[in-house]
Amino acid sequence: MVARTALEALTLPPLRLLRSPWPWRSLAYLGSGVLLGLASVLALVTLGTLGVVLLIGVVGLLALPGMVWVGIVVARFERRRLRLVDTEPAYDPHRRPGRPGWRAWLSTRTREAATWREFGYLLVSALALWWIDLLLVAAVLYVPLMFMSAPFVDSDLPIYLTVPSLLGGIGILPLATYPIMAWAGTRAAIARAVLSPRDTELTARLVEVSRSRARLVDAFELERRRIERDLHDGAQQRLVALSMTLGLARLDLPADSPAGQQVARAHEQAKEALAELRELIRGVHPQVLSDRGLPAAVEDVAGRSPLPVDVDLPLPGRLPAATEQVAYFVVTEALANVAKHSGATRARVGGGVTGVTGDWLIVEVRDDGVGGADPAAGSGLTGLADRVAAVDGRLLLSSPAGGPTVVRAEIPCG
């Protein structure tokens, strides 16, 4: 068993516990708590005195914000001190101010519940907790230290009492480990519950996961752009040159000669490869999407579809690149599914920006096919839903038997 906290370490076998660093870490935690409590008392007394003496002055009005600031500083030290008896990091529940400057900082902090929890913890710590730390450590260590120091305090103590007293103190000392660790673990649990609640930690972790996912999506899109650029500037240009060379060679050879026929076939194959490469480049990252935006890119996809597609996608302007890319691939994949699986004769792509501040893009692909689309049937809808979810959007599907099938993507524009 690997102990994560001092309370969990109390369940270890005695010899293993005494050999571990947990007793010393618990003692250091309580000792530093005494020092931090003394500093808190000194700061509160100083600010309180200034507030009383200069009540009508500006400094007096700053006494309360000063105490709040002390509470924030003490809470920050407390969260760091928790690592002595709790190996799991304690997250800071404060959010970053929306703009720079001390006024924005003070306005943000005074509106947060975490700030006033920390101020209350400061008062409790200054008035009670550090006293308990000091009294408990002194009471627990008093008896073994008294026995151990007896031979040095009283030099006239007989030898038959000196040795038992010294050995008795050494034998009792390990028993002090348990109350010290128990109180250190309990005090740390109290501090974590007040200064770094589990829901705050979970929120912080979810935010970090969301940021990591956004960074991965951005990196993925940059890599797609790099691949598209390399294909466009490298392989495509070489295939164009090859096709031109074969075309010129084809003109110089008789059409009915064996060499002419071979060159003609090679020329046709080069043109087919070039067409396939252009389709691949368009699928990796369509240039029309970057140059002209989502409506033009959707019109391009609809024009290349094997069945008629009506497009009604009015947008007020360009949207964030990530939003446009996801919406484009939703339309591309949905229309590919319509052509392959639906048996439809016509499709429609519609949508627009919605929300009070235009913060959501709605894209809807509808067809008149037979319906019955199943994401588990390997149609690519599951991967499409994952792609939409990567930018905190969602994909909705309605496909009853007999149709129609509607794929609706709701994508944030922020």
Side-chain angles (χ1 to χ4, degrees):
M1 171 185 174
V2 178
R4 185 182 60 84
T5 66
L7 290 178
E8 290 181 2
L10 285 173
T11 62
L12 296 174
L15 291 179
R16 184 179 171 188
L17 174 62
L18 294 175
R19 290 196 305 267
S20 72
W22 285 109
W24 301 105
R25 293 172 67 165
S26 300
L27 187 61
Y29 178 73
L30 297 182
S32 60
V34 172
L35 297 178
L36 189 59
L38 287 172
S40 301
V41 171
L42 180 61
L44 289 176
V45 169
T46 302
L47 290 172
T49 303
L50 287 175
V52 172
V53 173
L54 303 172
L55 188 58
I56 60 174
V58 176
V59 179
L61 296 177
L62 294 178
L64 182 58
M67 292 181 182
V68 171
W69 179 80
V70 171
I72 294 174
V73 173
V74 168
R76 181 174 298 177
F77 277 107
E78 283 285 355
R79 282 190 287 268
R80 292 182 178 179
R81 285 197 322 117
L82 282 176
R83 296 301 295 271
L84 288 170
V85 290
D86 190 342
T87 57
E88 185 176 345
Y91 290 89
D92 191 338
H94 294 292
R95 67 179 187 272
R96 184 176 299 178
R99 58 185 186 278
W102 67 270
R103 291 184 178 178
W105 181 89
L106 185 61
S107 175
T108 301
R109 291 294 175 265
T110 53
R111 291 192 175 104
E112 292 179 319
T115 300
W116 299 104
R117 286 201 308 268
E118 292 171 351
F119 181 62
Y121 182 86
L122 169 67
L123 297 179
V124 174
S125 177
L127 296 176
L129 290 180
W130 77 274
W131 283 100
I132 299 175
D133 295 344
L134 180 61
L135 292 175
L136 184 135
V137 171
V140 169
L141 296 180
Y142 174 76
V143 174
L145 293 179
M146 181 185 67
F147 279 103
M148 293 171 63
S149 63
F152 305 98
V153 174
D154 188 359
S155 57
D156 297 331
L157 194 67
I159 189 67
Y160 63 86
L161 294 179
T162 300
V163 174
S165 177
L166 183 61
L167 295 178
I170 295 175
I172 296 174
L173 187 60
L175 299 178
T177 297
Y178 289 90
I180 288 176
M181 289 181 57
W183 171 240
T186 303
R187 194 189 193 295
I190 295 172
R192 179 180 285 276
V194 176
L195 304 179
S196 185
R198 295 290 179 179
D199 57 343
T200 302
E201 294 183 15
L202 180 59
T203 301
R205 289 180 178 179
L206 290 176
V207 168
E208 182 56 31
V209 167
S210 298
R211 290 174 177 171
S212 299
R213 186 175 65 181
R215 289 193 294 267
L216 289 174
V217 171
D218 291 341
F220 177 69
E221 291 302 331
L222 288 175
E223 186 65 15
R224 290 174 66 94
R225 287 174 178 267
R226 186 191 67 78
I227 294 172
E228 182 268 338
R229 185 173 60 252
D230 291 345
L231 290 175
H232 184 274
D233 297 338
Q236 181 177 249
Q237 297 304 320
R238 285 193 290 272
L239 275 176
V240 169
L242 175 62
S243 180
M244 292 178 62
T245 302
L246 290 172
L248 292 174
R250 186 177 180 181
L251 294 176
D252 294 336
L253 294 172
D256 55 350
S257 66
Q261 293 175 359
Q262 292 288 346
V263 170
R265 281 197 296 270
H267 188 210
E268 294 300 325
Q269 290 173 358
K271 290 193 291 184
E272 291 174 2
L274 183 60
E276 291 179 1
L277 182 61
R278 283 172 175 164
E279 288 295 324
L280 176 63
I281 293 173
R282 188 182 290 112
V284 171
H285 186 82
Q287 192 63 37
V288 65
L289 181 65
S290 300
D291 295 342
R292 298 171 55 195
L294 182 61
V298 172
E299 290 280 2
D300 180 61
V301 174
R304 291 185 283 110
S305 176
L307 69 158
V309 179
D310 301 320
V311 178
D312 181 19
L313 192 64
L315 297 179
R318 293 301 299 267
L319 300 177
T323 302
E324 290 187 340
Q325 289 160 2
V326 172
Y328 174 81
F329 287 108
V330 167
V331 173
T332 303
E333 182 68 24
L335 289 180
N337 285 339
V338 170
K340 292 178 183 178
H341 308 297
S342 71
T345 59
R346 197 170 195 87
R348 179 182 181 277
V349 179
V353 174
T354 186
V356 178
T357 57
D359 48 359
W360 286 90
L361 171 65
I362 307 299
V363 176
E364 192 173 275
V365 180
R366 178 187 297 266
D367 67 68
D368 59 357
V370 297
D374 183 7
S379 60
L381 291 173
T382 301
L384 201 58
D386 292 340
R387 186 175 180 86
V388 174
V391 292
D392 292 329
R394 62 175 182 170
L395 189 75
L396 306 176
L397 172 67
S398 173
S399 184
T405 296
V406 179
V407 177
R408 175 186 174 96
E410 300 177 355
I411 308 168
C413 298

